[in-house]
Amino acid sequence: MELTEETHLQTLNVGIIGTGNIAPAYIRGCKPFEVINVVACADILVDRTRAFAAEHGLTAHSVDDLLANDDIDIVLNLTIPAAHAEVSLQIIEAGKHAYCEKPLALNRADGAAIIKAAADKGLRMGCAPDTFLGGGGQTARKAIDDGRIGAPVAATATWMSHGHESWHPNAGFYYLKGGGPLFDFGPYHLTALVNLMGPVARVAGLAQMTFPERIATSEALKGQILPVEVNTHVAGTLEFESGAIASIIMSFDVWGHHLPHIEVHGAEGSLSVPDPNQFDGEVAVVKGGTREWVDIPSTHTPNIGRGAGVADMAYAIQSGRPHRASGDLAFHVLDIMCALEESSEQGRHVEIKSTLDQPQALPAGLPDGVLDA
């Protein structure tokens, strides 16, 4: 690590485990931040590790060697969801701060073990998504915090398509345990809702596996039959600790729709929130007594990408403040997702036992590459 000139913060070195489809986005997203420097990578596929390292100017390692490298401060866990818990625990056991792709884990027990292991060692655990730190999510958060729509009373959140088999080169794992629309896209929408409205108290859900298999039409997998192990349509209702109620639909069974990504409805108006899988997008408000939606100019820089949560954690490690894309936030989202499926199976409301403080909003007007005032 080295001291940056402008911020007087140390630059923390970052290593990556898992060099699949999402890894290049993290390389791009980490670059604007002086507080972090991606230096190394590892993957169980040795040739892929070497190719990725050569392409991005990194050093290639085995997983064990990367974890033993004293020059690496934070390790990014970009493995497949089924490996998230095991790899995150290995990172923490090696004495490194960990940041994991979503979801944190596939069940509460593994998620709780990760959080406890990090706390026991005095290490930070971060987890995607960090899209809520973008200009769209933070502009929407500021509008609510400023009272533009009054106290939130209701919300809707939807993500619907007919699945990934038509385009993804490795679509099969999206239909295996740890995949499905709830665990794949649910973290974006649920994290955004918690950012905007605070923690959830209880849920009710219905879920089904509509088709037992899928036929891939992507160029890489054309004609392959993909077995389905997970629910592919999930509809639920969330009651927040504030008393507000949200409706959510996550589906791989829908050919097309006109429903919004997220809307938040308050006592004095309604807010249109952009796609929580993106960092930017238009935010609009309609006030009570009118029918005209008015765009809200972005109050926060949209020029960030995947990796902003890692940079925010690097700031927090050095300042002592909580980081925003935290393990606690990811565990709360995991708790909600598990509860929605349990509610469907058991035919009852399910209480959410985890809670947390609403993530701190980013200051408005920060320059590119800076996450603290």
Side-chain angles (χ1 to χ4, degrees), residues 350-365:
V350 175
E351 305 289 329
I352 304 299
K353 295 182 179 179
S354 64
T355 189
L356 76 162
D357 292 331
Q358 192 175 7
Q360 184 181 10
L362 280 172

Side-chain angles (χ1 to χ4, degrees), residues 196-280:
L196 297 172
M197 301 171 64
V200 173
R202 65 173 180 161
V203 308
L206 288 170
Q208 67 181 15
M209 183 196 302
T210 309
F211 307 105
E213 62 184 27
R214 302 289 180 119
I215 299 176
T217 57
S218 66
E219 184 176 344
L221 302 176
K222 195 171 185 66
Q224 289 190 27
I225 295 175
L226 309 178
V228 179
E229 298 179 351
V230 293
N231 290 315
T232 52
H233 187 95
V234 181
T237 303
L238 319 177
E239 182 181 17
F240 290 79
E241 290 183 8
S242 66
I245 295 173
S247 301
I248 184 169
I249 304 173
M250 300 283 116
S251 183
F252 282 172
D253 297 339
V254 174
W255 290 108
H257 67 92
H258 291 293
L259 296 176
H261 294 291
I262 294 178
E263 289 181 349
V264 180
H265 308 287
E268 299 173 14
S270 295
L271 190 70
S272 175
V273 182
D275 184 354
N277 188 23
Q278 305 298 326
F279 287 86
D280 54 6

Side-chain angles (χ1 to χ4, degrees), residues 334-348:
L334 175 64
D335 197 3
I336 295 167
M337 294 190 297
C338 292
L340 284 167
E341 295 203 319
E342 290 168 355
S343 175
S344 179
E345 294 166 2
Q346 299 169 14
R348 65 179 182 90

Side-chain angles (χ1 to χ4, degrees), residues 67-139:
L67 292 177
N69 189 332
D70 292 335
D71 292 331
I72 294 174
D73 306 294
I74 299 171
V75 178
L76 265 171
N77 177 2
L78 306 184
T79 59
I80 62 171
H84 283 180
E86 179 184 359
V87 173
S88 290
L89 287 170
Q90 288 175 347
I91 294 167
I92 293 165
E93 180 62 28
K96 313 289 189 188
H97 303 287
Y99 187 97
C100 184
E101 244 303 313
K102 51 77 185 169
L104 177 68
L106 303 190
N107 57 68
R108 294 188 188 90
D110 285 347
I114 294 167
I115 300 302
K116 183 178 186 301
D120 288 348
K121 282 187 168 286
L123 296 168
R124 297 288 183 130
M125 182 69 217
C127 189
D130 54 5
T131 44
F132 73 98
L133 300 176
Q138 290 298 308
T139 297

